[in-house]
Amino acid sequence: MMTRRQFLIGSGAAVVGAALVSKAQAASLPEAPVQDKAMTQPPLFPPNGRPYLPVVTLNGCSLPWREKGGWKEFHLVAEPVKREIAPGMVANLWGYNGQSPGPTIECVEGDKVRIFVTNKLPEHTTIHWHGILLPNGMDGVGGLNQPQIPAGKTWVYEFVMKHSGTFMYHPHADEMVQMAMGMMGFIVVHPKDPNLHRVDRDFVFLINAFDIDPGSYTPRVNTMLDFNLWCWNSRAFPGIDTLVVRKDDRVRIRMGNLTMTNHPIHIHGHNFSVTCTDGGWVQKSAQWPETTVDMPIGALRAIEFVADAPGDWAFHCHKSHHVMNAMGHGVPTMIGVDHRGVAEKINKLLPDYMVMGERGMAEMGDMEMPLPDNTLPMMTGRGPFGPLEMGGMFTVVKIREGLARGDYKDPGWYRQPEGSAAYEWKGILPAS
């Protein structure tokens, strides 16, 4: 991770709930670290303050802070960014500190938090702290709670984290455009007592979606429902990192949904309980076992399970069109249609034309066909047994024995013990 120090230019920045920042104060702003790679970074253990087990942000990182006068100070920079959605595709997005979503903010219940927000976008912005209980003037709704933050200015938000839990941040200014361009981030507030709600591994990601035409780089911001790239932390399979877990660890996965539809998120091989929402922790008596949690629009959920079954377990949205990339919404169904004769004629004009769809679409999972520049295959990825035929909101939870406590390195594909895998029947088949 590279770092840069952000300096204000001019006669001082506008501030919410505090005095104007002078030039001298501007020069002492906390650093705004930049993460321009889409790889999952190691957890950021607290250098001071109350102890806690840090989270792992899928394909992202946590934001460092400094202690000053009893305040934890963070610095977010809203700016245009380039984000690799998956190998072979890069998008022009808006985000924070070089990435979309922005870095995760971690702190502890009772912390006094001061967040500097520098606007390097071409238009004004604000930040709303979704689910956080705070003074009205810090809520970040432009025009209602504060003036908009003009381009080139820095504002300050100050509040006390009253409750631990799972939260997020996003603009409340030109919201349709700015969120469609990727502006959002996660907030995790740890309990004062590090043994309360304790787990062994704690993962976070935001669910987001884009509409990017094949061959282009910038999202269509006026799309309402027909998105073609379904992402976790602005990444689509095969670009979403795996979740590496030690056998018998207690695992928490925190998710937030900032798309325009719901998402039934499903895990294989285990069941879990929903233990936290953006409204707070769920009492144990109110929890029940699930394998799928529906993520409503604008909501957060934390699920927990014990990773007691070794293997490579699929983890994905259960809307089947959300595990595909670069979808076309007007494609006709060709199942059962023999169009080989037509294809021969078309091939004389378009040599790269390929027949597809008459026997279903599975062949696309292993097909190498010409694509427009900066476009992902609709179905892609390979596993130990062949094409995975996936895209979008899909990854793998890799559970292994013998991992070290803080080991998140990809262990490779799981070797199934002899006699524990599905196999081909070699006996007599019934007459057809």
Side-chain angles (χ1 to χ4, degrees), residues 61-89:
C61 63
S62 289
L63 182 62
W65 71 87
R66 74 178 182 194
E67 287 274 2
K68 187 174 182 180
W71 292 82
K72 257 181 191 170
E73 294 187 337
F74 299 85
H75 191 175
L76 289 171
V77 178
E79 60 186 347
V81 303
K82 291 187 180 296
R83 176 71 163 179
E84 185 189 66
I85 304 294
M89 183 181 182

Side-chain angles (χ1 to χ4, degrees), residues 340-357:
R340 286 171 293 181
V342 175
E344 291 174 4
K345 295 178 181 179
I346 294 175
N347 265 316
K348 294 177 181 179
L349 299 173
L350 300 171
D352 290 330
Y353 178 79
M354 303 177 74
V355 173
M356 59 183 182

Side-chain angles (χ1 to χ4, degrees), residues 279-334:
W281 296 96
V282 180
Q283 294 183 9
K284 194 166 183 62
S285 61
Q287 299 173 15
W288 69 91
E290 277 285 8
T291 65
T292 303
V293 58
D294 190 50
M295 295 292 302
I297 301 168
L300 294 116
R301 299 287 184 267
I303 64 172
E304 294 181 24
F305 63 95
V306 175
D308 54 6
D312 293 337
W313 301 106
F315 183 49
H316 60 96
C317 179
H318 219 292
K319 288 185 175 180
S320 56
H321 61 295
H322 290 185
V323 287
M324 301 174 75
N325 296 322
M327 297 171 294
H329 296 277
V331 178
T333 299
M334 302 298 291

Side-chain angles (χ1 to χ4, degrees), residues 38-284:
M39 299 178 294
T40 302
Q41 299 299 311
L44 180 64
F45 285 87
N48 47 49
R50 297 185 183 95
Y52 58 80
L53 176 74
V55 300
V56 174
T57 302
L58 204 58
N59 293 102
C61 63
S62 289
L63 182 62
W65 71 87
R66 74 178 182 194
E67 287 274 2
K68 187 174 182 180
W71 292 82
K72 257 181 191 170
E73 294 187 337
F74 299 85
H75 191 175
L76 289 171
V77 178
E79 60 186 347
V81 303
K82 291 187 180 296
R83 176 71 163 179
E84 185 189 66
I85 304 294
M89 183 181 182
V90 174
N92 296 327
L93 303 180
W94 290 358
Y96 303 93
N97 298 53
Q99 58 191 299
S100 168
T104 298
I105 293 175
E106 291 188 77
C107 54
V108 178
E109 179 185 11
D111 277 349
K112 294 165 61 179
V113 174
R114 178 181 291 132
I115 305 174
F116 296 82
V117 179
T118 297
N119 182 11
K120 291 194 172 183
L121 298 173
E123 67 170 3
H124 65 231
T125 190
T126 68
I127 296 189
H128 166 60
W129 315 99
H130 184 113
I132 302 292
L133 304 181
L134 38 60
N136 183 255
M138 299 291 175
D139 198 43
V141 180
L144 177 66
N145 306 123
Q146 68 169 91
Q148 315 283 0
I149 305 174
K153 297 294 185 178
T154 295
W155 283 50
V156 182
Y157 296 84
E158 295 177 343
F159 44 88
V160 177
M161 291 299 192
K162 297 180 180 179
H163 301 281
S164 64
T166 303
F167 312 102
M168 56 187 169
Y169 61 88
H170 60 80
H172 244 297
D174 196 12
E175 191 170 338
M176 182 183 74
V177 169
Q178 295 188 11
M179 290 178 64
M181 289 292 288
M183 294 188 71
M184 56 195 68
F186 221 99
I187 302 173
V188 173
V189 183
H190 297 278
K192 283 183 182 178
D193 180 356
N195 294 314
L196 190 64
H197 309 298
R198 187 168 182 82
V199 293
D200 299 297
R201 302 199 180 206
D202 200 338
F203 298 92
V204 304
F205 63 85
L206 286 168
I207 300 170
N208 54 348
F210 302 100
D211 183 14
I212 302 178
D213 288 333
S216 62
Y217 291 76
T218 304
R220 295 162 59 96
V221 297
N222 291 321
T223 297
M224 294 184 182
L225 293 174
D226 290 339
F227 296 89
N228 63 7
L229 286 168
W230 299 97
C231 299
W232 290 349
N233 270 11
S234 299
R235 294 280 282 182
F237 182 80
I240 301 174
D241 285 347
T242 57
L243 283 67
V244 178
V245 174
R246 183 176 60 171
K247 183 179 180 293
D248 295 325
D249 272 355
R250 184 165 186 84
V251 180
R252 179 183 296 130
I253 304 175
R254 309 181 196 234
M255 302 168 284
N257 179 12
L258 284 173
T259 71
M260 294 190 184
T261 187
N262 67 308
H263 300 278
I265 305 300
H266 174 62
I267 193 169
H268 293 205
H270 295 78
N271 55 33
F272 58 75
S273 297
V274 176
T275 59
C276 191
T277 75
D278 37 341
W281 296 96
V282 180
Q283 294 183 9
K284 194 166 183 62

